[in-house]
Amino acid sequence: MKNKRFTAFLIVALTALALWSLWPTYQEYSYNKQLSRFSSSEDSLAFVQEHRESLDNARAKSLKLGLDLKGGMYLVLEVDLIDLLDQRAWNKDEQFRDILATVKERASDSGARIIDLLAGEFSRQGIRLSRYFYDVRDTDEEVIAKLRDEAEEALSRAREIIRNRVDQYGVAEPQIQVQGARRIIVALPGVSDQERIRKLLRGTAKLEFKLVRDREAMLAGLERINAALEEDVESGSEAGEDTVDVLANPLFEHMTVMENGRVYVPQYSRDYLLSLFQRDDIARLLPKDTEFRMSARTIEGQDGTQFHDLYLLKKTPELTGNVITEAKATFGASAMQPEVTMKMNAEGTSKWARITGANIGRQIAIVLDGAVYSAPVVESKIPGGSSVINGIESLEEAQDLEIVLKAGALPAPVRIIEERTVGPSLGSDYIRSGLLSAGWGLFIVAVFMIFYYRKAGISADLALVLNILFVLSVLAGFGAALTLPGIAGLVLTIGMAVDANVLIFERIREEIGQKKNLRTAVETGYSKAFSAIIDSQITTLGAGFLLYVYGIGPIQGFAVTLMIGTAASLFTALVVTKEIFDLLISKNLLTERSFG
């Protein structure tokens, strides 16, 4: 008797817990429905402000929807391991760069591992890998093993850094997985600002503090480059090329030099000049250990043209972003311009104090991913290890900089090689179709069970409703997302749950056919069907587990729902229906004919 009371209490308690877990989902649905009724934005804004806490709480605890149902972005990112190899190499020469270019070309046409392609190219040309990597005494096998370890670590680090950026951005239930040797799959449900996400994921977050060379050195470098380009133009003209239109000042045609020595580059010339300055023959015309960089932010000219500031920087950074321990997006002293304040660790604080103390009166550029965000003049020594990035256009951009700085720099650049966007309207259609299929499946099964098993079928239908309730509540309670394949898993669960009840009911009918009394027939039916049900459900659980471990994206969504549904089916088929039958028998509401 005590055991019966405990079972009944357990069923009631689990049902109440499931309803409590799904209550925030109902609240969010109710709030959204009320918001849709408002005709003006002022009324809806007032409603949101009035119910802000309840809305936030409901959204945080409600059942999450996957990318295919809620809409959002699906991206395939590729980690640029060629860039990583270029960073790791020493003693680089033209032959090495030719090899990298060949490897890059072959990698774009195949899914082969970059390290294998590199090793094959070195072997084909009869060059030892240790000529450019690690210790000269290392064998090719040792170098390959080390490079493979670095490539795997870079991919793993890139995944974790991207995950940290996405988590700080606030995307609910993102899916971030490694695919192959150099790709990362990112699925972001509910994302609407696509361009912001692209910048957030692509940004390497390579932060550097570099000294700005004086204006005279920059102008002298530009004069030498202009003279070299004039020679190229003249030689092209003598060769009879018709494409040459400008013979004088080919470089200065793409920039404006002010009387105070500042140089501005129009937005339309930015890409051309950046590629020009990266040419080896052009870089050799600059003072040793220097490079040209442009400002991240543009300024508007009188005619509306956007211009970038041009800087000549010392190539070797004085300090890098590895010393940054804290970043915070805020507004400057004027409360008008967004900025990001940064704090450094003990090593960075010491170096920053020495650098600023030795360069009073000079500019130090703060460079992020090759773009100069600010180049303030050092007015005094800074002993506190603090610095500021300004020159930021919006608070959103400042917040994104905060995110990437906190998450850390990517070990190598990443490229978006595939992108798909699911619109909210398409997601709504999927939800409607999924609910319709699940509803029809439940209705047909319920009608069949009542028609074929009568009162026993009603108890099975009640257990089936509880089964679905338990599945959705577990998804909501653990923050898992319901996807379109998840709905398919839910429909499959309905069929499997009924299958367990069919096994039990057929066993009971066999016992009734042998002239046993009803209570004994029920007990024996459950006992004999138990092993068959357990075997089939455990097999399904195992299959679902393997799908979850080795599958990606949609397959995992299907597997999660299938596993939860299978576990719920075991409970409802073996416990809930048994408790219902015991209750009906005790009230004399169940007879032999109740099983059809």
Side-chain angles (χ1 to χ4, degrees):
M1 188 66 182
K2 288 183 178 180
N3 188 41
K4 296 294 182 184
R5 287 180 179 176
F6 173 76
T7 304
F9 172 77
L10 180 63
I11 295 171
V12 172
L14 288 177
T15 304
L17 183 62
L19 292 172
W20 175 80
S21 180
L22 289 173
W23 177 248
T25 304
Y26 172 76
Q27 278 188 308
E28 184 185 22
Y29 170 77
S30 178
Y31 283 135
N32 289 336
K33 197 170 182 180
Q34 292 181 62
L35 280 170
S36 65
R37 292 174 181 168
F38 292 115
S39 57
S40 66
S41 57
E42 290 81 4
D43 292 338
S44 59
L45 181 61
F47 180 82
V48 170
Q49 290 175 341
E50 183 181 352
H51 300 86
R52 169 66 66 185
E53 187 175 347
S54 299
L55 270 169
D56 291 343
N57 185 61
R59 285 170 180 166
K61 297 179 179 179
S62 63
L63 178 64
K64 305 296 187 299
L65 298 179
L67 175 66
D68 47 6
L69 298 181
K70 193 175 183 179
M73 294 181 70
Y74 173 91
L75 306 103
V76 179
L77 308 177
E78 185 172 81
V79 179
D80 190 353
L81 296 180
I82 298 293
D83 184 89
L84 180 70
L85 292 173
D86 189 53
Q87 293 177 33
R88 295 293 182 269
W90 58 282
N91 194 30
K92 292 177 282 190
D93 53 21
E94 288 301 322
Q95 188 174 23
F96 174 77
R97 298 195 185 282
D98 289 342
I99 291 175
L100 274 193
T102 302
V103 171
K104 185 174 183 178
E105 183 179 353
R106 291 182 178 176
S108 63
D109 298 331
S110 71
R113 294 176 180 270
I114 296 292
I115 307 304
D116 294 342
L117 293 174
L118 182 77
E121 187 62 24
F122 268 80
S123 176
R124 190 181 68 81
Q125 297 193 22
I127 305 172
R128 292 187 61 193
L129 284 163
S130 57
R131 176 176 170 181
Y132 300 104
F133 297 101
Y134 306 113
D135 196 302
V136 293
R137 292 168 293 184
D138 290 341
T139 65
D140 282 354
E141 290 74 17
E142 290 173 333
V143 173
I144 291 171
K146 291 178 181 179
L147 289 175
R148 280 177 178 164
D149 289 342
E150 286 217 37
E152 290 176 4
E153 183 183 354
L155 189 65
S156 178
R157 275 190 58 206
R159 180 192 62 190
E160 292 306 314
I161 289 170
I162 288 172
R163 180 177 295 279
N164 289 337
R165 292 182 183 182
V166 169
D167 288 346
Q168 292 181 50
Y169 184 80
V171 179
E173 283 300 306
Q175 295 180 11
I176 303 170
Q177 297 170 316
V178 170
Q179 183 187 62
R182 57 181 190 265
R183 291 182 179 178
I184 299 173
I185 307 296
V186 181
L188 306 174
V191 168
S192 57
D193 195 341
Q194 298 166 18
E195 184 58 33
R196 187 178 177 191
I197 287 293
R198 293 187 195 103
K199 290 181 180 179
L200 188 70
L201 296 182
R202 283 187 307 211
T204 310
K206 185 178 180 182
L207 181 67
E208 298 170 307
F209 298 84
K210 295 185 174 184
L211 286 174
V212 179
R213 295 295 302 268
D214 55 76
R215 302 283 179 185
E216 290 77 11
M218 180 173 67
L219 294 176
L222 292 174
E223 289 287 356
R224 286 193 291 272
I225 294 173
N226 185 67
L229 292 178
E230 283 182 344
E231 292 181 5
D232 291 343
V233 171
E234 289 173 0
S235 61
S237 178
E238 291 173 1
E241 294 183 6
D242 297 330
T243 56
V244 179
D245 295 324
V246 181
L247 295 178
N249 298 324
L251 177 65
F252 292 112
E253 287 290 327
H254 295 279
M255 58 184 63
T256 301
V257 181
M258 307 299 291
E259 291 183 2
N260 60 3
R262 292 186 70 173
V263 179
Y264 295 107
V265 175
Q267 176 71 27
Y268 56 79
S269 295
R270 176 180 177 273
D271 292 341
Y272 165 74
L273 289 180
L274 284 177
S275 61
L276 177 69
F277 294 147
Q278 288 175 359
R279 283 170 41 181
D280 291 338
D281 59 327
I282 297 298
R284 285 194 290 268
L285 299 175
L286 299 178
K288 188 178 180 180
D289 194 29
T290 61
E291 63 180 357
F292 278 116
R293 292 294 181 187
M294 295 186 196
S295 62
R297 189 181 181 184
T298 60
I299 58 174
E300 188 173 337
Q302 293 181 351
D303 59 352
T305 304
Q306 299 294 318
F307 291 90
H308 291 271
D309 252 312
L310 184 66
Y311 297 91
L312 181 65
L313 308 179
K314 184 179 178 183
K315 196 169 187 179
T316 303
E318 305 298 311
L319 203 60
T320 66
N322 295 332
V323 300
I324 301 298
T325 58
E326 182 182 343
K328 180 68 176 176
T330 182
F331 284 96
S334 64
M336 292 294 289
Q337 191 63 42
E339 62 183 27
V340 177
T341 59
M342 298 175 291
K343 294 289 185 181
M344 304 178 184
N345 58 21
E347 177 189 1
T349 300
S350 175
K351 288 183 178 180
W352 189 234
R354 176 180 55 79
I355 293 166
T356 53
N359 292 282
I360 294 175
R362 298 184 63 184
Q363 285 180 284
I364 295 182
I366 299 177
V367 185
L368 183 66
D369 291 342
V372 178
Y373 273 81
S374 57
V377 176
V378 179
E379 296 180 355
S380 62
K381 180 178 179 179
I382 304 176
S386 61
S387 57
V388 177
I389 299 178
N390 45 42
I392 301 171
E393 294 186 359
S394 65
L395 182 60
E396 280 188 353
E397 184 182 350
Q399 290 170 340
D400 290 345
L401 284 179
E402 174 190 335
I403 288 171
V404 297
L405 290 173
K406 282 182 177 179
L410 289 168
V414 297
R415 294 182 296 111
I416 297 176
I417 62 173
E418 182 183 345
E419 178 183 336
R420 295 201 301 269
T421 302
V422 180
S425 59
L426 184 60
S428 300
D429 292 339
Y430 285 159
I431 293 174
R432 196 178 303 109
S433 300
L435 291 178
L436 194 62
S437 63
W440 272 110
L442 178 62
F443 174 76
I444 292 171
V445 168
V447 170
F448 170 78
M449 291 300 289
I450 294 173
F451 175 78
Y452 196 77
Y453 291 108
R454 301 179 184 177
K455 283 186 180 180
I458 295 175
S459 67
D461 292 343
L462 180 60
L464 197 58
V465 172
L466 284 179
N467 190 348
I468 296 172
L469 183 69
F470 290 154
V471 172
L472 295 178
S473 66
V474 171
L475 288 174
F478 286 93
L482 179 64
T483 62
L484 194 61
I487 293 178
L490 190 62
V491 174
L492 181 60
T493 297
I494 294 173
M496 291 194 308
V498 170
D499 182 56
N501 284 303
V502 168
L503 285 173
I504 294 170
F505 295 169
E506 289 301 322
R507 283 290 188 178
I508 293 174
R509 291 171 74 170
E510 287 178 7
E511 298 302 319
I512 292 174
Q514 296 176 11
K515 306 302 182 182
K516 293 183 181 179
N517 68 64
L518 187 57
R519 185 175 291 278
T520 303
V522 170
E523 294 290 345
T524 307
Y526 272 91
S527 177
K528 288 185 176 181
F530 180 81
S531 60
I533 293 172
I534 289 293
D535 289 345
S536 63
Q537 303 289 10
I538 292 299
T539 303
T540 305
L541 278 173
F545 177 75
L546 291 176
L547 285 174
Y548 181 78
V549 171
Y550 295 107
I552 61 171
I555 295 176
Q556 285 188 323
F558 173 80
V560 167
T561 311
L562 182 63
M563 287 190 291
I564 297 172
T566 302
S569 296
L570 278 172
F571 178 76
T572 55
L574 297 175
V575 178
V576 174
T577 55
K578 177 68 164 54
E579 190 66 21
I580 292 173
F581 289 156
D582 288 342
L583 178 63
L584 293 176
I585 290 172
S586 66
K587 302 292 186 181
N588 293 320
L589 297 175
L590 200 68
T591 65
E592 286 80 359
R593 294 184 178 180
S594 298
F595 289 90

